[in-house]
Amino acid sequence: MNLQELERIVAEILQRAELTQGIERYQELLYLLKEKHVNVADDEHFQHLYRNFYALSHRVAPFYPAYFNAFQDALTTPDMSHREIFDTISEISHFCEISFSSKILHNLNQNIPIYDSIVGWYHFGFKFIKSQKLDFAGNKQIAWDMYLEYQKQFMEYMESNDAKLIVQMFDDAFPQYKTLFTAVKKVDFVLWQDRIKVDGNIITRIQIPDQYKCQR
């Protein structure tokens, strides 16, 4: 898409109240993690804020205490690999938890993109489909490989003129967060808000160039 059209769409997104609310919640989460150093396994306010912001739902109740325990372990174990975190979260629910584990990875390092359906699937075209021919370990490997490829494509997109325009417009609209948020999160915020429903279907308007999308 041409930069003029992208600029028009991004300008509209940056004015949304929902975006401002999301930014404020994310800032509070960062503050609690980076400044207050809360124990996420015990802090009920953090857990409530985190679950609402990241829309953590659709899992049985015992999943969430185990999830935040694993999150705390990741925070206090610097040598824990990203794959170990993914495996740990997936083992809790016996489901390939790409999205939920990527949220922890992002909070450990805000330069790591989050995978969710709006950005990862609708924008970049990455969608994990469980294979009935493979066992849990085999499906986990497919899911993890997909997430690594998504990270690669997202980071390559960050070098594009489109992504640089989004970052610049975000900084102009919210200068107070210019150095607080990473460029990755600024782009993620805009793409995450780029959705409208038409006849029950989700439509996104920002077009990611094919060279950055899933190649499968």
Side-chain angles (χ1 to χ4, degrees):
M1 66 190 307
N2 64 62
L3 290 179
Q4 186 177 11
E5 177 65 7
L6 176 61
E7 184 174 5
R8 184 188 66 79
I9 295 170
V10 173
E12 183 271 318
I13 291 173
L14 291 171
Q15 294 177 12
R16 291 183 182 175
E18 297 91 339
L19 177 64
T20 301
Q21 292 168 0
I23 288 170
E24 291 172 350
R25 291 169 183 167
Y26 180 73
Q27 179 195 22
E28 184 176 358
L29 284 170
L30 284 185
Y31 172 74
L32 292 171
L33 275 177
K34 306 298 183 183
E35 303 296 330
K36 296 287 288 183
H37 302 289
V38 298
N39 185 320
V40 302
D42 298 330
D43 194 292
E44 293 183 1
H45 173 64
F46 177 89
Q47 293 180 15
H48 177 75
L49 184 67
Y50 186 96
R51 287 184 62 176
N52 283 342
F53 177 74
Y54 288 115
L56 262 67
S57 57
H58 311 303
R59 297 290 180 272
V60 296
F63 172 83
Y64 300 103
Y67 177 87
F68 286 107
N69 282 332
F71 190 170
Q72 182 63 29
D73 287 343
L75 286 169
T76 55
T77 312
D79 59 346
M80 184 180 294
S81 73
H82 293 175
R83 178 60 194 262
E84 286 178 294
I85 294 169
F86 167 71
D87 284 342
T88 298
I89 301 303
S90 297
E91 290 293 338
I92 294 170
S93 61
H94 210 69
F95 183 80
C96 299
E97 298 285 6
I98 308 167
S99 182
F100 284 7
S101 60
S102 74
K103 292 170 172 59
I104 292 179
L105 296 179
H106 174 77
N107 279 278
L108 295 175
N109 179 352
Q110 286 78 45
N111 286 304
I112 296 176
I114 293 169
Y115 176 86
D116 62 43
S117 62
I118 299 299
V119 183
W121 176 11
Y122 285 98
H123 284 96
F124 285 88
F126 284 86
K127 182 181 181 181
F128 169 67
I129 299 176
K130 180 181 178 181
S131 172
Q132 299 300 324
K133 297 179 180 180
L134 296 175
D135 60 10
F136 182 45
N139 275 294
K140 276 199 306 176
Q141 187 62 53
I142 290 176
W144 182 247
D145 289 344
M146 187 205 78
Y147 177 62
L148 292 181
E149 181 63 20
Y150 168 66
Q151 277 193 39
K152 176 178 175 292
Q153 296 294 84
F154 191 105
M155 298 311 295
E156 289 182 2
Y157 175 71
M158 290 299 302
E159 299 300 318
S160 71
N161 290 332
D162 289 15
K164 290 175 182 177
L165 175 63
I166 293 172
V167 172
Q168 183 59 59
M169 292 183 68
F170 188 101
D171 288 343
D172 290 344
F174 302 101
Q176 66 273 38
Y177 303 117
K178 184 174 183 177
T179 59
L180 184 61
F181 296 171
T182 62
V184 164
K185 188 56 190 174
K186 294 167 187 175
V187 169
D188 178 78
F189 261 126
V190 171
L191 295 180
W192 178 59
Q193 278 291 328
D194 175 41
R195 63 186 187 273
I196 56 176
K197 276 195 173 182
V198 178
D199 298 327
N201 298 313
I202 294 177
I203 303 296
T204 58
R205 297 169 297 164
I206 295 176
Q207 298 172 15
I208 304 298
D210 288 344
Q211 69 197 82
Y212 305 115
K213 298 179 75 171
C214 179
Q215 302 302 311
R216 302 184 209 175

